[in-house]
Amino acid sequence: MEKVIIAPSVLACDFLKIGQEIEMLNQSAADWIHIDVMDGVFVPNISFGFPVLEAIKKQTTKILDVHLMIVNPEKYIESFAKAGANIISVHYETCPHIHTTIQQIKDAGCKAGVVINPGTPTSVLKDIIFDVDLVLIMSVNPGFGGQKFISNAIKKTKEVSQLAQLLGKKDLKIQIDGGVTDQNAKALVDAGANVLVAGSYVFNSSNPIQTIQNLIDITA
Ligand code: DX5
Ligand code: ZN
């Protein structure tokens, strides 16, 4: 089985020491860095935007995986691409013209992802799965780090994995975001996930580099 990709979410890092935190991730086995952008409208929290992304880009060669929890994401795709995003994921719930928005992300030179909330069924992905590089299944309601994992995400992971197989969609990244720990990582990967976001579990641990490695090892 291919190695799982760990994408630590910097939402949980110490922002006073963000340079050191990124340096730590550079030394770690994490392949991606997950960037949570929140607007206080689509989700009840505001995080950070372009200056933070630009600063992180200057200090890492890891893949920057940008998760947009904002309304009207189509207005900002170009700017996120210019600021250093390699992957941009948009919520299905924010995009009345999801196909157009996905094409816009690709035209900006990035890989494109679609995200579904815990209350959104996987069936909405049927007609967009061929156009995306990544499906992100939320395993918490978006807005905050450190929430409890919603176990229904395991069932949804299986559904997306089966849908991809059924439709012959190869190389799909199936990413899980929210409440990922050593307690659920293996079940998620066994269900078909190949990218795990982990925020508080990584950054609140006493040895984040080891914690990232452990997540890889227990899912192998
Ligand atoms: C939630 C964010 C997540 C969050 C993950 O809205 O999309 O990426 O930061 O943090 P943990 O791993 O702490 O749930
Ligand atoms: Zn996220």
Side-chain angles (χ1 to χ4, degrees):
M1 209 192 330
E2 60 174 326
K3 186 192 92 165
V4 69
I5 292 171
I6 305 298
S9 166
V10 292
L11 189 66
C13 86
D14 181 345
F15 284 101
L16 269 182
K17 299 185 192 152
I18 190 162
Q20 290 166 43
E21 299 279 48
I22 300 301
E23 204 42 53
M24 178 276 291
L25 294 179
N26 286 345
Q27 306 303 320
S28 79
D31 292 309
W32 297 5
I33 296 179
H34 188 78
I35 312 279
D36 285 305
V37 179
M38 303 177 180
D39 67 351
V41 180
F42 176 58
V43 291
N45 194 10
I46 299 177
S47 58
F48 47 77
F50 305 115
V52 173
L53 179 57
E54 283 162 6
I56 293 173
K57 187 71 180 180
K58 281 191 198 136
Q59 222 191 328
T60 189
T61 54
K62 303 263 182 189
I63 289 172
L64 296 188
D65 165 39
V66 176
H67 175 193
L68 295 183
M69 286 162 275
I70 63 176
V71 296
N72 304 127
E74 67 284 350
K75 286 189 187 169
Y76 304 99
I77 301 295
E78 278 290 316
S79 304
F80 278 107
K82 284 207 181 87
N86 300 103
I87 303 165
I88 299 177
S89 297
V90 290
H91 272 258
Y92 176 83
E93 300 85 3
T94 62
C95 295
H97 305 289
I98 187 77
H99 187 272
T100 305
T101 308
I102 292 296
Q103 296 312 317
Q104 211 189 327
I105 295 171
K106 291 181 168 176
D107 290 347
C110 296
K111 301 272 189 202
V114 60
V115 192
I116 53 169
N117 272 340
T120 302
T122 57
S123 54
V124 303
L125 299 169
K126 188 172 139 288
D127 289 306
I128 196 65
I129 204 163
F130 255 101
D131 297 285
V132 298
D133 301 290
L134 178 149
V135 168
L136 198 179
I137 298 165
M138 289 305 302
S139 42
V140 297
N141 284 293
F144 301 93
Q147 301 182 75
K148 191 172 174 289
F149 180 77
I150 298 171
S151 60
N152 190 51
I154 297 171
K155 187 195 88 186
K156 290 173 85 175
T157 304
K158 278 188 202 135
E159 289 171 3
V160 172
S161 178
Q162 280 164 4
L163 183 66
Q165 267 176 31
L166 191 73
L167 298 177
K169 167 72 181 173
K170 295 206 175 83
D171 301 329
L172 180 71
K173 295 289 184 229
I174 302 180
Q175 180 178 43
I176 314 301
D177 186 7
V180 171
T181 68
D182 60 346
Q183 298 299 302
N184 48 40
K186 174 104 175 86
L188 289 165
V189 170
D190 287 350
N194 43 26
V195 187
L196 301 178
V197 176
S200 42
Y201 182 65
V202 165
F203 285 99
N204 294 349
S205 76
S206 55
N207 186 344
I209 291 186
Q210 189 58 51
T211 302
I212 291 165
Q213 187 59 49
N214 288 349
L215 281 175
I216 295 170
D217 293 345
I218 59 173
T219 54

